[in-house]
Amino acid sequence: MGIRRYPEGDYGSAFGYLNKAARVGDASAHSQLARMFMNGHGVGKDKKKAVYHLEEAAIAGHPTARYNIGAIEWNNGSKERAV
């Protein structure tokens, strides 16, 4: 439900649904929450929270999250962690 609310611009509802789904381990929800925190959509921009949710999604096997966390590590100079 949160994934459908996000593109509609209903960030408050999206956050609520995604947060609940993330608490039970939904990788897509973690990935979407990372996007919200990275861009400040419906929440304050918070890179630490964005990275936390990306890591949770990546650990759960979400391919886009794995790519994104690798890109962040690479850009931060942690090339060993990125690959």
Side-chain angles (χ1 to χ4, degrees), residues 22-71:
R23 276 190 257 139
V24 295
D26 185 289
S28 292
H30 277 294
S31 181
Q32 191 66 38
L33 284 170
R35 183 176 173 192
M36 293 179 80
F37 280 112
M38 193 64 78
N39 296 317
H41 291 162
V43 295
K45 282 188 176 185
D46 189 327
K47 188 172 180 181
K48 284 186 179 186
K49 287 183 181 178
V51 169
Y52 165 78
H53 285 291
L54 275 178
E55 288 175 343
E56 291 295 312
I59 289 166
H62 194 280
T64 304
R66 286 182 176 196
Y67 172 84
N68 289 336
I69 201 71

Side-chain angles (χ1 to χ4, degrees), residues 15-27:
F15 181 80
Y17 286 116
L18 292 167
N19 202 34
K20 287 179 186 177
R23 276 190 257 139
V24 295
D26 185 289

